[in-house]
Amino acid sequence: TVSTTSSITITNLVTYLRCTNADASSITITLPAGSSYAGHTVHVKMINSATVNIAAPTAQIYVDSATAVSSFAIDVVGQSYTLIGHASGWDVI
């Protein structure tokens, strides 16, 4: 469970982040470089109605095959994303 801005340490092949930050309290979760975690999966689920920003070093999050960003936002209650690490970063699926 994550409720404040955090840098995440990944120790398992599958990591589940349950984001419970309070209303109007935007937080940022920073993932490590995806290249160090190829094949690892991170599931992120928004529980409350504040924004969660998912970040990674230097535009390493790929929202599609051509678009790399340094962060993206989860801002809908119940919304969830899965990210998979690879040699260039993290793919959002």
Side-chain angles (χ1 to χ4, degrees), residues 5 12 18-19 23 25 33 47 52 62 69 81 85 91:
T5 292
N12 300 310
R18 183 177 182 268
C19 301
D23 292 342
S25 175
I47 301 301
V52 174
Y62 292 83
V69 297
Y81 286 96
D91 281 334

Side-chain angles (χ1 to χ4, degrees), residues 5-81:
T5 292
S6 305
S7 291
I8 300 301
T9 301
I10 297 174
T11 57
N12 300 310
L13 279 172
V14 177
T15 300
Y16 178 75
L17 302 175
R18 183 177 182 268
C19 301
T20 61
N21 49 308
D23 292 342
S25 175
S26 177
I27 64 171
T28 299
I29 296 172
T30 303
L31 301 176
S35 59
S36 298
Y37 295 92
H40 284 69
T41 302
V42 176
H43 301 283
V44 183
K45 175 132 182 156
M46 183 63 187
I47 301 301
N48 288 344
S49 59
T51 300
V52 174
N53 297 299
I54 306 299
T58 59
Q60 289 189 350
I61 298 174
Y62 292 83
V63 293
D64 59 41
S65 61
T67 307
V69 297
S70 58
S71 69
F72 72 97
I74 300 174
D75 56 6
V76 175
V77 174
Q79 190 174 35
S80 63
Y81 286 96

